[in-house]
Amino acid sequence: MSYDEPAATKETVGRLVGAGMNRIVLNLPRPYPRGVARWPADEIIAGRHSTDPSAARPRITA
C-alpha cells in the first residue's frame, strides 16, 4: 500500500471485493504518519464492504 498513490490500492481492493473476498488486510509501510489507522478506512475501504449480512461472518459447520 502506498500513501502517495492510494488509487492502485483502491482498485485492487475493489477487484478483491468484486471477486467475493470479505476479509482484506492492508499492510501500512513505515514511518506511520499521524492518523494513519483511520486513513485506510476512510480512503480505501469506505463504501467497499458488502451489505449482505451473511457475508459478515463465515458459516461454521460441525
Side-chain angles (χ1 to χ4, degrees), residues 3-42:
Y3 298 124
D4 297 327
E5 297 180 28
T9 303
K10 285 182 183 182
E11 182 180 333
T12 300
V13 169
R15 286 195 315 259
L16 293 170
V17 170
M21 294 187 156
N22 59 8
R23 300 286 189 271
I24 299 167
V25 176
L26 299 175
N27 184 22
L28 303 173
R30 291 181 189 183
Y32 304 120
R34 184 181 185 124
V36 73
R38 187 77 217 159
W39 181 80
D42 292 341

